[in-house]
Amino acid sequence: MLRVLVIDQNRKRAEGVQAALQAEPDVEVQIAAVGSSHLLGLLRQAAPDVLIVDLDLPDRDTIEQLRIANREVARPIVMFVDQSDTEAMRTAVSAGVSAYVVDGLQPQRVRAVLDVAVARFQEFERLRRELDIARTSLAERKLIDRAKGILMRARGMNEEDAYNLLRSKAMKDQKKVAEIAQSVITAAELLK
């Protein structure tokens, strides 16, 4: 079940979106006809899977609240606006908006836009996780290389033997090689 929160100051328009989405068997819709100043609190309380925001023109407060909410709990955000400019769109996207649709919200196209936003969000999250893994791996590799250098200088060993020593210690202690490498680096710094 996909929980969708629709935020729109125009209750009638929000009810049209709700009617269009409730025809879908896998969607549960909640409406909030509130001003943008209450957006963050409402998101924390409702904890939706997807957020649909309809505004005449997004303001800085709304965008900042979306940015904070996205940092707390990342979720697809669909923003419908009646009028926009390039700067407002860029700011919204940098705040975590997955789909930015100009020319207002029309109930018959909400599901398609929602599906695209969710797919785009999931792809972005996959890429973000891959980037985090790559960064972690690179940081670990740097630690290991640094520890190997310390061992090579201190014990007069070659690179392969230094790595094998780190690896065997990691297996013995049931730790990651990077953790042992960090211990070697810390010990070397204390002995300077």
Side-chain angles (χ1 to χ4, degrees):
M1 184 65 78
L2 188 65
R3 291 180 329 219
V4 177
L5 175 62
V6 178
I7 303 214
D8 191 341
Q9 291 175 320
N10 182 331
R11 184 129 184 112
K12 187 174 182 176
R13 187 169 54 189
E15 287 170 353
V17 172
Q18 182 180 33
L21 288 175
Q22 283 185 330
E24 304 289 335
D26 61 338
V27 178
E28 173 188 309
V29 182
Q30 180 181 353
I31 294 178
V34 298
S36 60
S37 61
H38 303 296
L39 181 62
L40 191 55
L42 184 61
L43 278 171
R44 289 175 176 149
Q45 179 185 3
D49 299 316
V50 180
L51 174 64
I52 296 176
V53 180
D54 190 13
L55 300 167
D56 295 327
L57 184 64
D59 59 24
R60 286 185 182 272
D61 290 341
T62 301
I63 298 299
E64 188 55 32
Q65 287 185 52
L66 289 175
R67 184 183 315 279
I68 292 167
N70 204 34
R71 266 186 263 157
E72 289 178 9
V73 179
R75 67 179 57 84
I77 301 171
V78 178
M79 183 176 282
F80 288 90
V81 297
D82 290 333
Q83 50 185 305
S84 181
D85 60 40
T86 304
E87 186 59 32
M89 181 269 307
R90 286 186 179 147
T91 304
V93 170
S94 74
V97 172
S98 304
Y100 187 88
V101 182
V102 180
D103 200 18
L105 185 140
Q106 296 162 359
Q108 67 273 16
R109 63 184 209 178
V110 170
R111 182 57 196 239
V113 171
L114 187 69
D115 289 343
V116 168
V118 168
R120 190 164 170 247
F121 174 81
Q122 290 170 342
E123 179 63 14
F124 179 79
E125 286 298 301
R126 183 188 65 76
L127 291 172
R128 188 187 55 73
R129 283 190 303 274
E130 285 179 10
L131 179 61
D132 288 346
I133 289 168
R135 283 181 177 154
T136 300
S137 179
L138 179 61
E140 288 176 352
R141 186 80 244 150
K142 286 180 179 180
L143 283 175
I144 293 167
D145 286 346
R146 193 166 158 209
K148 284 190 307 187
I150 292 168
L151 290 173
M152 289 164 61
R153 282 188 301 279
R155 291 195 164 188
M157 28 174 56
N158 65 31
E159 185 176 358
E160 184 179 349
D161 290 340
Y163 179 75
N164 287 337
L165 182 61
L166 289 170
R167 199 178 98 214
S168 65
K169 179 67 173 158
M171 289 182 352
K172 180 181 174 194
D173 293 356
Q174 295 182 345
K175 293 184 176 183
K176 293 174 69 175
V177 175
E179 291 176 88
I180 300 302
Q182 182 61 61
S183 297
V184 168
I185 293 166
T186 302
E189 288 171 352
L190 288 173
L191 295 173
K192 284 185 179 179

